Amino acid sequence: MRHRNGWTLFSLLALVALILAACGAQPPSGAQPTQPAAAPTAGGKLEMFSWWTAGGEADGLNAMYDLYKQANPGVEVINATVAGGAGTNAKAVLSTRLTGGDPPDSFQLHAGLEVEKYEPQKYLQPLDDLYAAEGLETVFPRDLLTLLKYQDHYWGVPVNIHRANVMWYNKQIFADNNLTPPTTWEEFYAVGDALKARGIVPLVIGTKEGWEAGHTFETILISTLGADGYRGLWTGQTRWTDPKVTQALETFKKVMTYANTDYAALTWSDAAQYLVDGKGAMHIMGDWTDGWFTSKGYTGYGWAPVPGTRGVFDALSDSFAAAKGAPDQANLMAWLKLAASKEGQEAFNPKKGSICARTDCDPALFNPYLQSAMKDWSTDAIVPSVAHGAAAVEKWATVYKDILNTFATTGDVAAAQQALQQACVDNGVCK
Ligand code: GAL
């Protein structure tokens, strides 16, 4: 099933969110209307919280800060970051700050069910009035808007769209060994065997932060289940006991036999560095890697969909949320308006390694990889990433990531599948 520029599956997920809410996860309403967006004050601060510290992502954020400072010269911008890919460390710190009454003004939040973790009715400002005042419902894709709506309110302004199912490769290694990037897992094993025979590590991976194995595995699930089957895992329509989930675990286990042995000591960007250094041939990671490569001045990389996932775009979106009780309301609203604007998104995304959430950015500002992502986004079947907040509530996503992180080392297929099924049951989606 293909969706032209549509996030139809995300609509389904929004429905799941509504069901969860109706089941009592949150009180059904009670949010206060947003204050009308105020004009920026001449002074004060803007504290923006994220986990963007690596090359590319930090550069994108800085490009937006520069624009913000030009427009609001009297405002002190505080760049609050907690390093750790996928928000591994940042999310816990943020929760503590919100519940402890010490919120930053704005913070990074994945579009989708991740918002449930932060008890939005209690700790976040609904942004419906900002959306109305700025006409934001006309500039973002409809199904992204649906994904952003939780308990009938918008809680974040989306700045980008990332793709998770990308296989990056070192072009020189492939050319030198007369190989072509694999499009199926069988081809991957053949390429991997050829590389191994020549003493080259076929796949570089880092699992140090605990989320990367889950990231890799969701792309393998897509390859064995297809777009609809994968979506169904998060809505109860596909069973975690399905033989195709077993097949995905077996595949991941075999894929790990082609990986660097020091994977548990490396982060995603350490692993990407191995590719840059010619110490490995392929790397499965989201397209923030494109921003990271660009920040390193590295141009020797090629890209392809993860084997078996051509025609599917495993998607996530970063948004910026507004904390309730944010100290500097006017400065905060000016920030969110910038994040939503064409100018802000065109400054941010080419550096970040993502495409705009808006539909009107100029493709000429983006490199060939990102232009290919824009094209795929408009034609591929779109599925939601679980490792990056779109597909499931945070407590489910966390258990999922933990199971896969353990599995990367133990390779116990039956135990992992049983635990994945149990996690679905525990979250009320499977019986
Ligand atoms: C994702 C996030 C991306 C990027 C990546 C690596 O969760 O959405 O923007 O930061 O983690 O940290």
Side-chain angles (χ1 to χ4, degrees):
M1 194 159 79
R2 292 168 100 77
H3 302 280
R4 176 156 288 274
N5 209 10
W7 285 32
T8 303
L9 76 129
F10 281 165
S11 314
L12 274 176
L13 290 162
L15 187 64
V16 175
L18 288 175
I19 294 166
L20 285 175
C23 288
Q26 294 290 331
S29 72
Q32 298 304 311
T34 319
Q35 295 302 310
T41 57
K45 296 177 181 173
L46 171 82
E47 184 180 6
M48 168 62 206
F49 181 97
S50 79
W51 59 84
W52 288 333
T53 57
E57 45 194 34
D59 300 328
L61 194 53
N62 281 330
M64 259 205 294
Y65 287 156
D66 287 347
L67 288 176
Y68 185 83
K69 286 174 192 165
Q70 279 164 28
N72 304 275
V75 178
E76 182 193 350
V77 175
I78 301 170
N79 181 32
T81 55
V82 176
T88 318
N89 309 315
K91 289 178 187 173
V93 174
L94 179 62
S95 279
T96 307
R97 288 193 60 177
L98 291 176
T99 55
D102 172 33
D105 296 291
S106 185
F107 62 87
Q108 182 186 352
L109 171 72
H110 285 128
L113 291 173
E114 184 175 294
V115 69
E116 188 259 3
K117 173 184 172 67
Y118 299 118
E119 298 182 69
Q121 302 284 358
K122 242 187 190 162
Y123 296 114
L124 307 195
Q125 298 185 39
L127 299 174
D128 311 327
D129 290 358
L130 179 70
Y131 270 67
E134 298 296 308
L136 298 186
E137 288 189 325
T138 63
V139 299
F140 300 125
R142 185 179 47 82
D143 288 336
L144 173 57
L145 290 164
T146 307
L147 182 70
L148 286 156
K149 236 180 199 181
Y150 179 73
Q151 295 182 343
D152 230 17
H153 297 286
Y154 293 116
W155 303 101
V157 171
V159 281
N160 67 3
I161 289 156
H162 267 306
R163 183 175 197 171
N165 60 320
V166 188
M167 188 190 70
W168 309 97
Y169 62 93
N170 180 311
K171 284 198 288 194
Q172 193 67 50
I173 293 178
F174 273 74
D176 288 350
N177 293 283
N178 204 17
L179 294 168
T180 49
T183 61
T184 64
W185 291 115
E186 287 310 316
E187 286 178 18
F188 176 91
Y189 303 143
V191 166
D193 289 337
L195 290 167
K196 266 188 185 175
R198 286 160 209 173
I200 300 164
V201 174
L203 181 75
V204 287
I205 179 167
T207 64
K208 185 177 177 182
E209 290 172 339
W211 58 275
E212 305 90 334
H215 176 117
T216 307
F217 185 65
E218 74 180 47
T219 71
I220 299 176
L221 281 171
I222 294 165
S223 77
T224 62
L225 286 158
D228 286 342
Y230 168 83
R231 287 175 194 138
L233 291 171
W234 312 107
T235 60
Q237 277 168 325
T238 303
R239 293 175 343 156
W240 283 92
T241 51
D242 192 293
K244 288 182 181 161
V245 175
T246 321
Q247 188 192 340
L249 286 163
E250 297 287 4
T251 302
F252 187 30
K253 185 174 176 176
K254 185 157 179 183
V255 164
M256 285 303 288
T257 66
Y258 293 92
N260 47 307
T261 50
D262 60 349
Y263 61 85
L266 305 185
T267 64
W268 69 270
S269 53
D270 295 335
Q273 184 65 46
Y274 275 25
L275 203 81
V276 175
D277 295 341
K279 289 188 187 164
M282 296 173 275
H283 179 46
I284 292 172
M285 188 40 65
D287 51 10
W288 42 91
T289 310
D290 172 77
W292 187 86
F293 284 150
T294 303
S295 79
K296 301 278 157 197
Y298 176 60
T299 55
Y301 63 99
W303 61 88
V306 167
T309 70
R310 184 169 296 282
V312 184
F313 193 113
D314 183 14
L316 57 129
S317 168
D318 293 300
S319 78
F320 294 148
K324 203 172 262 185
D328 292 289
Q329 187 69 18
N331 295 346
L332 165 61
M333 287 301 152
W335 169 250
L336 296 179
K337 278 192 214 171
L338 174 66
S341 72
K342 185 169 186 291
E343 184 194 23
Q345 300 210 354
E346 286 182 342
F348 175 74
N349 286 297
K351 291 187 158 60
K352 176 71 169 76
S354 42
I355 60 175
C356 291
R358 295 179 64 103
T359 50
D360 58 356
C361 286
D362 179 1
L365 298 170
F366 292 78
N367 70 18
Y369 164 73
L370 291 170
Q371 289 182 2
S372 81
M374 284 177 196
K375 195 172 143 285
D376 290 350
W377 166 249
S378 71
T379 55
D380 282 5
I382 311 295
V383 302
S385 167
V386 64
H388 305 282
V393 290
E394 189 68 7
K395 62 181 192 310
W396 188 3
T398 300
V399 172
Y400 161 88
K401 287 183 266 191
D402 289 349
I403 294 167
L404 271 303
N405 198 44
T406 304
F407 176 74
T409 302
T410 66
D412 187 337
V413 172
Q417 190 160 9
Q418 209 281 323
L420 288 166
Q421 162 68 10
Q422 190 58 44
C424 183
V425 171
D426 292 347
N427 281 281
V429 174
C430 298
K431 289 199 190 99

